[in-house]
Amino acid sequence: MEEVDWDSAVKRVAQQVKHYLITILGKTSKEASDEEFYRCLAWVLREDIMLNWTATSHTHRMKKAKKVYYLSLEWLPGRMMVNNMTNISSWELVQRVIKFMNRDLKGILKVEQEPGLGNGGLGRLAACFLDSLATHCFPAMGYGLRYQYGIFQQELWYGAQVERPDIWLISEYPWERRQDEFSQFAHFGGHVIAKKNKHNEDVHVLIDFEEVRSLAYDVPVVGYGEKNQFCALTIRLWSTKDSPKNFLLAQFNAGDLSDATKNTAVTDVLYPNDKNSLGLTMRIKQEYLLVTSSLKDIIRQYHLMFDNFDEFANLVRIQINDTHPALVIAELMRLLTHEHELKWDVAWEITKTVCSYTNHTVLRESLEAWDVHMIKDFLPRQYHIIEKINQEFCNQVRAKHPNDEDWVRKMSIIQDGRVHMAHLAIVGTHRTNGVARLHTEILKASIFPEFHEMFPDRFISVTNGVTQRRWLNMCNPELSQMLKDLIGDAWITDFSKIEKLHDFAANREVQERFLKIKLDNKKRLLEMLVGEKKARYHEAIDLSKEFFLSCDAMYDVLVKRIHEYKRQLMKALHTIMLMRDIDRNPDSHKIKRTVIIGGKAAPGYDMAKNIIRLFYILGRKVNHDPKIGDKLKVVFIENYNVSKAELIVPAADLSNQISTAGQEASGTSCMKFSMNGALTIGTDDGANVEMREAVTDKYWQFLFGISSQEAMKMSREKSYNPEDVVNQDSEVKGALEMLINGSLADNDVEADVLKAIYNSLMIGYDRDRYFVLKDLRSYYDTQMKVEELYLKPYEWADFSLYNMASMGRFSSDESIKNYARDIWQLQPCPIDAEELKRVKREFLEADRCYIA
């Protein structure tokens, strides 16, 4: 191995940091704050990244590589600093630099802001996919929106969720670069005038429209590599904030501030509350802005290589991540037929060939369907195109099902006064994929059976995955080092190699080391929780009263977006059952348990907010109770995000994946927890099914609940009555009654919240529609099996290590290889060595010139 001259390298980087501090910020290294030091260190690292970033882009263009463009309304890349240092092999160097310059590494890393560009699994998945694409050198690019205030920053005040702006851009974000030259324009409203293109086909010209400019910001996604041989891809984020024309000065001078700022505010917040017309307007503007800006940019890049569209269908692939970017279909048709004057039939074949659609939900209420009048008003040209697409498609359906207008109606893109975006996405693409095998089967059999009957080859399954580079190698350094010591480091880029860990699962020394690492990770998590609480309440924290910190305390974790189908409510009711058990008999449960909950509720989702408040109430009741508090704690982690997940996941003993069977499309937190040695208690839902098969039933012992078939049958037949469960199970009944008997609520507001939760389970035609009470006894009994195993730490460690060793197929690397093979027909395009040398040479020449 080549010897590193650490002394020279450290001094060089330290000098670069000082250079930026003085020339950009006007500070010396001794007076610079942690935030200023962080920014300058990031700029230094970005210099190295920029070389490969530039060479990667040049390589794709030189080789005319086929490229996939991934459109997603959400991105959750997390903090960049440590991930980038790890991926470009600079972690040890930076640690030495920080020590040499007498700075505190923890303090510097802590000030990094996390991009607030997503809400949950959708955005995190997109980020994992770009990481895998970059690591394995696939030509790719991501597109999204640069939300000024993210989705929101969550605070709990007496259990009530309060939404604050997520001010991640309060300081300059050092990883992005502004790209004014790539700005685009989106046109809303106006009136259409019919005209003919050169093929004598109808197109529509827009007049009296409202123009909104979108400005591009690029963020690098750095692939993992050694000796600087890494690829770097781009996420291009569109913003309406810094475009002067978007601010309507005439309206401002007339005293109408809201109208004056309506266009600058388009990219202010992710998922504006759609319970009001303003929120709906903002959402459709966001979706179209993303689509039109990205498509124009894709065509611009293509035209750098070709001056006609002959190769477009061969070299371009566009992935529609959920229905939010489904307007791609209509807008690409508009651009091709109107602005570039292709024949309709040619444009339609190109559109279907280049576009593919990933469905992420089986919840019908989550499948976007826009009011026809809204589309007509805001996007009149696109509406005409959707009408034409729909007319031609409905004629196809009629040809296959003559005299069956009901069948036609079910499949129509426009029906009941709404434009169904999932229908548009299926019709206008060549592939529709589910994100787990069970999910795909449900799509084919229950959600889109008519479409599957018409396009049987169009539906495929690509199971989700997560990147082991962030979700193991970076976030769990002690466990990562243990793996490197035992099986080498090939698993970092080829996670199938993790199977070698099977050979060590029963090894007592390895088990002891694993348990010690788990305890260390719990300490790291508690350090964060205590620090946050001190900062929030400005008071000393008594660890013994607030948290458990001992080997025999199990961390029982459920962290994800708050939604009824994810059944955080069942976790709360189970916690009440434990409270009642321990109150009656402290010896009824032999282990200590900390229940850890985290997640945000959508601003307009009242029941999700009620469930959050229930956990606050339970924590208040339990944590300081002299009898119950010795065995049970309840902790709700505010403002759950990627950075907090990176501490929670390694510390967890038990991962709760307890959604109603048949409701979770895939889930990815299940994979992160298993990769880090947590055992799973879960239903046979989403990716759990395939994980269980990989682990085998012997080591996947905490399966519970009804099957997806049983759930669908009861829903279809309306045969489930929660009163039957309550009347037959006194413990379930006792837990449920605590919601309304006054033993938990401290005031009228809390009593109303608990009553609303009770009513959702027991009152109304769709009571307990997610079968919380139906599965609660099964969940409780399975949790007792969990306790039995946890009392045997070495056996628990054996199971944990075996689960980890079985996770090879759940890396996002595997998902991306499946997308590349089955959907995109995409090949890797490694960075051209000579081009990288040329870029570096030019940089070094300029650098020498500048220094001289």
Side-chain angles (χ1 to χ4, degrees), residues 322-324 361-369 561 563 565:
D322 217 355
T323 53
H324 310 123
T361 184
V362 299
L363 300 177
R364 293 190 183 276
E365 63 266 31
S366 297
L367 295 169
E368 283 188 307
R561 178 169 56 93
H563 196 290
Y565 88 84

Side-chain angles (χ1 to χ4, degrees), residues 607-742:
M607 185 51 66
K609 290 184 172 183
N610 290 343
I611 292 168
I612 290 174
R613 194 182 287 241
L614 173 57
F615 278 108
Y616 163 80
I617 292 169
L618 295 179
R620 182 185 64 206
K621 177 82 173 175
V622 165
N623 292 348
H624 302 288
D625 187 284
K627 188 190 293 186
I628 302 170
D630 286 341
K631 283 286 179 69
L632 181 65
K633 301 290 185 189
V634 178
V635 179
F636 191 98
I637 296 179
E638 292 175 90
N639 202 43
Y640 177 64
N641 56 20
V642 176
S643 302
K644 289 181 178 175
E646 288 165 1
L647 292 170
I648 296 166
V649 169
D653 294 305
L654 187 66
S655 161
N656 284 261
Q657 307 298 329
I658 59 177
S659 54
T660 310
Q663 296 292 319
E664 185 71 82
S666 169
T668 51
S669 68
C670 51
M671 303 166 189
K672 295 165 194 166
F673 281 107
S674 287
M675 281 182 185
N676 285 270
L679 296 184
T680 302
I681 183 169
T683 52
D684 229 14
D685 192 27
N688 288 359
V689 177
E690 291 158 76
M691 288 173 63
R692 174 176 58 78
E693 291 172 359
V695 172
T696 73
D697 289 337
K698 178 182 176 182
Y699 288 92
W700 189 273
Q701 295 209 343
F702 306 139
L703 175 69
F704 77 95
I706 58 175
S707 68
S708 58
Q709 293 85 357
E710 290 173 302
M712 284 188 279
K713 185 173 185 289
M714 285 189 287
S715 295
R716 185 172 58 250
E717 297 175 354
K718 308 215 178 294
S719 58
Y720 168 58
N721 184 353
E723 289 181 4
D724 293 340
V725 175
V726 173
N727 292 334
Q728 292 166 17
D729 193 322
S730 61
E731 292 304 313
V732 170
K733 183 178 183 179
L736 190 63
E737 286 181 345
M738 283 192 74
L739 297 176
I740 54 172
N741 66 11

Side-chain angles (χ1 to χ4, degrees), residues 70 123 270 292 322 362 422 439 463 721 793:
Y70 198 90
L270 169 64
T292 190
D322 217 355
V362 299
H439 171 231
T463 300
N721 184 353

Side-chain angles (χ1 to χ4, degrees), residues 164-179:
R164 308 283 190 202
D166 180 357
I167 48 174
W168 70 281
L169 288 170
I170 192 168
S171 299
E172 182 179 358
Y173 186 61
W175 300 108
E176 69 180 4
R177 54 176 175 160
R178 177 170 162 161
Q179 301 277 55

Side-chain angles (χ1 to χ4, degrees), residues 53-70:
W53 198 5
T54 303
T56 301
S57 177
H58 288 183
T59 299
H60 295 165
R61 200 178 313 148
M62 284 165 43
K63 297 190 175 181
K64 294 182 170 58
K66 177 189 277 190
K67 194 170 184 178
V68 63
Y69 299 92
Y70 198 90

